[in-house]
Amino acid sequence: MIFPIVIEQDEDGYFAQCPTLPGCHTHGKTYEEVWRNIREAVELVIEDRRAHGESIPVSGMVSFATLEVVA
């Protein structure tokens, strides 16, 4: 399965979330740590949903892009 992940940096490190899986988010002090943490979080959410007979949502994301805006 492939899930989109959003990672943002703030003064405390990094924050990651999986928009496809509501409530699936984590943080880490480094970029590498947040990647490990979000992988674990996604795996745990999937495991929990399966254990409770819930479906696994499919991402509707069709592309990813960044946008630079000059303000």
Side-chain angles (χ1 to χ4, degrees):
M1 289 186 245
I2 297 175
F3 294 93
I5 301 298
V6 177
I7 298 176
E8 298 178 84
Q9 185 176 18
D10 63 18
E11 62 277 352
D12 296 323
Y14 294 85
F15 176 82
Q17 63 177 322
C18 178
T20 306
L21 301 172
C24 186
H25 54 85
T26 188
H27 66 280
K29 291 199 180 291
T30 66
Y31 188 78
E32 293 76 15
E33 180 182 15
V34 81
W35 263 114
R36 286 191 306 271
N37 292 349
I38 195 63
R39 174 181 288 280
E40 181 180 4
V42 167
E43 290 170 349
L44 290 171
V45 168
I46 290 171
E47 181 180 311
D48 185 64
R49 291 181 73 91
R50 284 185 175 154
H52 290 91
E54 299 174 16
S55 64
I56 309 302
V58 177
S59 173
M61 188 165 136
V62 294
S63 69
F64 172 79
T66 58
L67 175 66
E68 181 178 347
V69 177
V70 178

